[in-house]
Amino acid sequence: MKNIKRIMAAVLAGAMIMAFAACDTKETTDDTSSAADSAVTESAASAQESAPAETAGEIKFATDGKLTMATNASFPPYEYYENEKIVGIDAEVAELIAQKLGVELEIKDMEFGSIIGAVQTGAVDMGMAGMTITEDRLKTVDFSDSYATAVQVVIVKEDSEIATVDDLQGKKVGVQENTTGDIYASDDLGEENVKRYNKGNDAVAALVSGVVDAVIIDNEPAKSFVAANEGLKILDTSYADEQYAIATNKDNKALTEAINKALGELKADGTLDEIVAKYIPAE
Ligand code: ARG
């Protein structure tokens, strides 16, 4: 059987590519046919980067005085509800970006699959939702520099006979719809074997009740969901490496640049690390 483990270059735009070269895995994928949905390649990242800075112009905001962010707040520790408020790494980072831009942050919670469209139509200024850079998404939106790396992992019941990614063939797998986990699972295991849920947590509930045999989802939410449910575990073998970034409108390069500047400052002064450490305690 084909090696279904997709290894994607951990890529950032421009000079950052070198900084992340160390994170690149050695394995290569033999499945080049599905490149459209795989994480961004170096050439795509640098093509996106090559627009000259001086064409950026003024920042446009969907609503004056506000940075409007689309998210899907069912994805701990990046975005989730606590006492009716959306909290998490993305919410806190976005708040600081808005402060640096001198505007107020407004978060709009929506289905994950609606975020890209909301950015593309200009209904919101940015999409921030633990969102992975993929070549397919780059066709319709721009992405900021990456602010986090992630891994797609497999959750199974503790007593499951599924021990590696290869054992997933022929099994029922639950995913959050329109996520990269959905795309990989549908490509690799066949649509008929994939059950798509509105939220990652719904997929996990289906695993607990035995409707699906496994869930493919990002590593940090996976840890939260496993901690919140008895009898689940995460397989040691992971599925794919990814980069999270903020999606912006292709006609708003000035905003993308301003976000990158703000992110750069938050990285350089240790604020980003502090926020991450608050939500993801060291093991
Ligand atoms: N990283 C995955 C993707 O970009 C899943 C993100 C899901 N995020 C969320 N807030 N529900 O497709």
Side-chain angles (χ1 to χ4, degrees):
M1 154 197 143
K2 269 201 306 196
N3 173 17
I4 60 172
K5 191 175 181 187
R6 278 153 203 269
I7 303 302
M8 284 167 280
V11 168
L12 286 181
M16 302 208 64
I17 287 167
M18 298 316 295
F20 273 79
C23 310
D24 259 1
T25 41
K26 299 112 253 150
E27 294 144 278
T28 50
T29 173
D30 57 4
D31 186 4
T32 46
S33 59
S34 50
D37 274 327
S38 64
V40 63
T41 62
E42 289 192 23
S43 56
S46 39
Q48 183 197 329
E49 259 269 302
S50 61
E54 53 275 19
T55 61
E58 289 271 295
I59 300 178
K60 292 176 271 221
F61 289 105
T63 306
D64 278 344
K66 281 189 181 172
L67 179 65
T68 311
M69 156 179 160
T71 199
N72 170 252
S74 61
F75 199 69
Y78 287 92
E79 46 267 329
Y80 58 101
Y81 281 91
E82 207 173 76
N83 306 322
E84 282 160 46
K85 191 174 177 262
I86 297 173
V87 297
I89 296 169
D90 288 347
E92 289 207 19
V93 171
E95 179 65 46
L96 296 177
I97 292 173
Q99 271 176 31
K100 285 178 185 286
L101 298 185
V103 291
E104 213 182 293
L105 178 70
E106 179 172 336
I107 302 182
K108 289 196 174 166
D109 189 16
M110 57 184 73
E111 288 190 1
F112 184 75
S114 303
I115 298 173
I116 297 269
V119 172
Q120 200 188 357
T121 59
V124 300
D125 300 309
M126 65 181 203
M128 191 172 189
M131 188 179 283
T132 304
I133 308 173
T134 70
E135 288 189 358
D136 222 34
R137 292 173 182 165
L138 276 169
K139 289 179 192 153
T140 47
V141 292
D142 281 348
F143 276 100
S144 70
D145 294 336
S146 172
Y147 63 91
T149 54
V151 189
Q152 293 294 314
V153 297
V154 182
I155 310 176
V156 294
K157 283 194 175 165
E158 252 159 23
D159 58 2
S160 173
E161 57 178 29
I162 299 170
T164 71
V165 168
D166 292 344
D167 297 336
L168 290 174
Q169 291 294 328
K171 296 284 194 283
K172 293 276 176 255
V173 172
V175 296
Q176 181 182 20
E177 33 176 17
N178 297 309
T179 60
T180 47
D182 180 6
I183 296 162
Y184 305 148
S186 303
D187 280 1
D188 294 339
L189 308 169
E191 297 264 355
E192 68 282 8
N193 293 312
V194 178
K195 285 196 172 290
R196 308 163 89 213
Y197 295 89
N198 194 251
K199 295 177 177 169
N201 206 20
D202 298 343
V204 172
L207 173 61
V208 170
S209 65
V211 176
V212 296
D213 305 304
V215 168
I216 298 177
I217 195 162
D218 305 46
N219 54 330
E220 289 303 333
K223 282 198 241 161
S224 299
F225 296 143
V226 166
N229 290 278
E230 291 278 299
L232 300 182
K233 66 175 183 189
I234 297 172
L235 294 188
D236 289 336
T237 52
S238 62
Y239 208 80
D241 296 332
E242 305 185 326
Q243 295 285 334
Y244 289 169
I246 301 171
T248 50
N249 190 291
K250 285 191 177 291
D251 294 328
N252 206 357
K253 306 280 184 215
L255 176 63
T256 317
E257 276 177 25
I259 289 173
N260 282 340
K261 181 163 177 282
L263 274 178
E265 290 168 7
L266 296 172
K267 286 178 192 172
D269 69 8
T271 309
L272 180 62
D273 285 344
E274 265 168 47
I275 296 172
V276 170
K278 174 173 154 192
Y279 286 95
I280 307 176
E283 272 145 37

